[in-house]
Structure formats: C-alpha cells, structure tokens
Amino acid sequence: MTETKKDFIDLTQFNKDELIFLIEDGINKKNISSKNGMASVDEDACAKDKILATIFEKPSTRTRFSFETAMYQLGGKTIYANMSDMQLGRGETIDDTAKVISRYVDIAMLRTNKHSTLENFAKNASIPVINGLTDKSHPCQVLADLITVKEKIGDIENKSYVWFGPANNMLTSWIHAAQIIGFELRICSPKDYSVDNNLVSGFPNITTDLDPNDAAKDCDCIITDTWFSMGEEDNDQKRKILEPYKVDAKKISMASSDAIFLHCLPAHRGEEVDADVIDGVNSVVWDEAENRVHAQKSIIRWCLS
Ligand code: CP
Ligand code: NVA
C-alpha cells in the first residue's frame, strides 16, 4: 500500500489554510476554464491518462454527473459502477474489492450507506479515495457550497449561516467547515432530530436549539436539505415535527436583504422549502449545483498532486 496516497474523506482532515486553498483553487480554475464544450480539457489537465472509478451504493444525479464532467475536463476517463451490480452482493468483501479496483484505476469515489464501508475501502485501496456521501457526511457538497458562498457574497469567514431541518450528513460537513473556518453557524433543528452535542461542544461560533421563528434574523445564508435522507423511511410524525422548520418567505424576509439560499438538492417543494423560496431571487441552488463540477476538480487535483 502506498503511504503517500491522499484520500478525501472528511473536511476535518484540513486546516483553515488548506480548506481555503481548495475553495479558491475551485474558483480560480473555474474562471479560466475553456467554454468550448463541457468536455473541453483544461490546459493544466492533471488527470491525463488517469481513470476515476465512481462507485455508488445509493442513487445520485449531481455527484455522478459532476464527477464524470470534472474528470473529462481534467483530461481523464471514468468508470461508473453501481454496487448492486458488483460481486459485493455475492459476498466479495469491500477490502478485496478495494485491492482489485486499485489495479484498474488511479482514483476512486464512493457513495456508501455506512461511513465505515468507505473507510474500509480507503484503508485497503492503494489509490486516493473520495467520499461522495455517506450516512455521516457529504464533504464534496459542502466544498461546492463554500465555493458558491465565496462567489456570491465574497467572504465566507465573517458571515452567519443558519441550518433549518434535521441533523444529517450535510449538517455534519457544515459543522466541520464552521469548526475549521470559524464562521457563525446557527443550527435550527427540533429536539427530536437535533445534532449530537459532542459534535458541536467547545465551539462558541456554533449554536443550537434555536427558535425557528427568529433563527434567520440578519443572517447571510440559509441552508436546508431533505427531511428524509436516502435510505430513511418516510414518516408523517417527523414531517409534522419539522413543519415549523420549513424555509418559507417569512424566514427569508428576516435574513439580510442580500442573503443567499442554499440546498444541495434534490429538493421537495412545499416540504423543507417553499417553491417561492427555491425559485426566488435569494436562491442560488443552480449555481451551487454547477459548482459541484468545480469542487470535484479541486478535490481530484488535490488527491492526484
Ligand atoms: N447533492 C447531491 O449529492 O446530489 P445527488 O444525490 O444527486 O448526487
Ligand atoms: N441528506 C441527503 C443529501 C442528499 C444529497 C441524503 O443523504 O439523502
């Protein structure tokens, strides 16, 4: 196993300067990339002659497409696999799978149910491994979100962010970012679906247990996500408890006048967010989705450097 391979598992592996480098690298290269076509190869194509494997245990639209587009723009190729089509379903271990795939490709991205599956794959692979979402975290998405904040508001650190909805993998990566960069993160979740205190204790810039009726006051960025993550059963009781946490026009009106609305998508209009918010003037969700490509390119460049 190579000692020097660079896995991208969680934002916590980076310090502030390193995380800011990844954000700025994404933006800088986005601004100089050629616009001839989505597969136009960048001048400094760092993935020329390289193959990225994208391996999914759960569905995906953005992560799959943005990783493939990112790899083409970096001069490389991709191989997609759904885990249910692989021999894993017939009992081959994740450890053996990682060793075998390391003989075919140069870098791998995995979306897994359990975070431990990703960690075991990374431990047994001799190639860089990227977290494309697990039950614990979604660092690629939050990197794209931070790129979007920087582009739209110009500053990340001295801004205030409010999370509305249940604690989940997205929130964990937002908490990691707040811990590294030091921005104000207000977490507005109902008690039944609140964040584990161990994750936030010792960080005065992160507050919890806020009243959904005034949590958004003067904030710069409102964030939400689906109330039911992939693999989670639909539950009417949970939906009822979360109703006051829906992002609606009233919450947006309390925020700073140029506040932005982020949602990693897929969204459920009328559930976690009203249609007039996600389709309204404060919403930057389409740029956010586009920035997945630029975030993935920054991550792949880092992994291969
Ligand atoms: N936001 C995100 O990761 O989207 P997909 O599930 O479509 O990849
Ligand atoms: N929390 C969501 C994010 C989807 C990109 C999920 O895990 O389904």
Side-chain angles (χ1 to χ4, degrees):
M1 198 178 295
T2 323
E3 302 279 47
T4 54
K5 79 179 179 106
K6 291 163 84 177
D7 298 326
F8 182 88
I9 303 295
D10 264 318
L11 297 180
T12 45
Q13 68 194 73
F14 300 100
N15 65 29
K16 186 171 170 180
D17 287 347
E18 290 164 343
L19 183 53
I20 287 171
F21 172 82
L22 285 175
I23 296 164
E24 288 184 346
D25 184 50
I27 294 173
N28 293 341
K29 296 281 177 21
K30 171 179 178 176
N31 292 337
I32 58 164
S33 76
S34 148
K35 302 279 187 292
N36 293 334
M38 287 298 185
S40 288
V41 178
D42 293 353
E43 262 177 39
D44 58 343
C46 71
K48 189 171 173 299
D49 302 329
K50 308 246 188 243
I51 301 176
L52 166 78
T54 61
I55 303 170
F56 289 87
E57 197 172 15
K58 312 199 217 197
S60 170
T61 298
R62 281 142 289 270
T63 304
R64 177 177 177 184
F65 278 78
S66 59
F67 263 105
E68 296 206 10
T69 299
M71 198 61 183
Y72 299 147
Q73 293 183 2
L74 293 174
K77 297 187 168 30
T78 61
I79 299 175
Y80 164 81
N82 186 312
M83 273 195 182
S84 62
D85 297 330
M86 294 168 64
Q87 296 285 15
L88 285 158
R90 294 181 59 250
E92 186 166 28
T93 66
I94 198 80
D95 300 15
D96 288 357
T97 305
K99 287 173 191 157
V100 170
I101 286 176
S102 300
R103 303 292 179 106
Y104 301 138
V105 304
D106 303 278
I107 176 167
M109 182 241 86
L110 271 80
R111 167 168 288 191
T112 58
N113 289 318
K114 289 191 186 150
H115 194 75
S116 57
T117 307
L118 172 81
E119 288 177 323
N120 286 339
F121 188 98
K123 201 168 123 206
N124 286 280
S126 57
I127 54 171
V129 174
I130 298 170
N131 176 358
L133 179 147
T134 67
D135 59 345
K136 176 189 167 197
S137 54
H138 198 4
C140 294
Q141 177 70 54
V142 172
L143 183 64
D145 292 2
L146 295 172
I147 286 175
T148 311
V149 170
K150 178 81 181 166
E151 280 185 332
K152 299 288 175 189
I153 324 187
D155 177 41
I156 295 172
E157 184 170 355
N158 302 300
K159 299 292 169 186
S160 51
Y161 303 71
V162 187
W163 170 273
F164 284 104
N168 67 8
N169 45 6
M170 274 298 297
L171 176 62
T172 299
S173 290
W174 268 102
I175 290 169
H176 292 161
Q179 290 170 341
I180 297 162
I181 297 178
F183 55 73
E184 181 191 349
L185 177 62
R186 307 176 200 162
I187 301 174
C188 191
S189 313
K191 282 212 162 26
D192 292 343
Y193 300 100
S194 64
V195 69
D196 179 352
N197 262 330
N198 293 324
L199 201 56
V200 293
S201 67
F203 290 91
N205 57 318
I206 304 176
T207 48
T208 57
D209 301 326
L210 299 163
D211 178 348
N213 295 313
D214 60 27
K217 197 166 184 315
D218 299 327
C219 75
D220 301 293
C221 179
I222 293 182
I223 316 158
T224 194
D225 184 16
T226 178
W227 288 349
F228 300 94
S229 281
M230 286 178 274
E232 198 181 333
E233 280 199 13
D234 197 272
N235 170 343
D236 276 340
Q237 200 193 342
K238 179 175 181 182
R239 191 173 280 116
K240 195 160 186 291
I241 292 170
L242 283 164
E243 182 61 33
Y245 298 80
K246 174 202 293 196
V247 180
D248 55 15
K250 191 162 174 237
K251 291 186 177 69
I252 296 286
S253 71
M254 295 185 74
S256 138
S257 59
D258 50 3
I260 59 170
F261 170 73
L262 292 175
H263 191 312
C264 65
L265 308 178
H268 308 84
R269 286 172 176 76
E271 195 158 274
E272 74 272 9
V273 59
D274 272 339
D276 59 351
V277 170
I278 193 164
D279 301 318
V281 291
N282 300 77
S283 173
V284 295
V285 299
W286 314 121
D287 292 317
E288 179 186 5
E290 178 190 331
N291 280 334
R292 293 296 305 276
V293 173
H294 306 290
Q296 322 303 26
K297 287 171 77 175
S298 178
I299 293 163
I300 295 167
R301 273 194 292 272
W302 178 83
C303 287
L304 294 178
S305 65

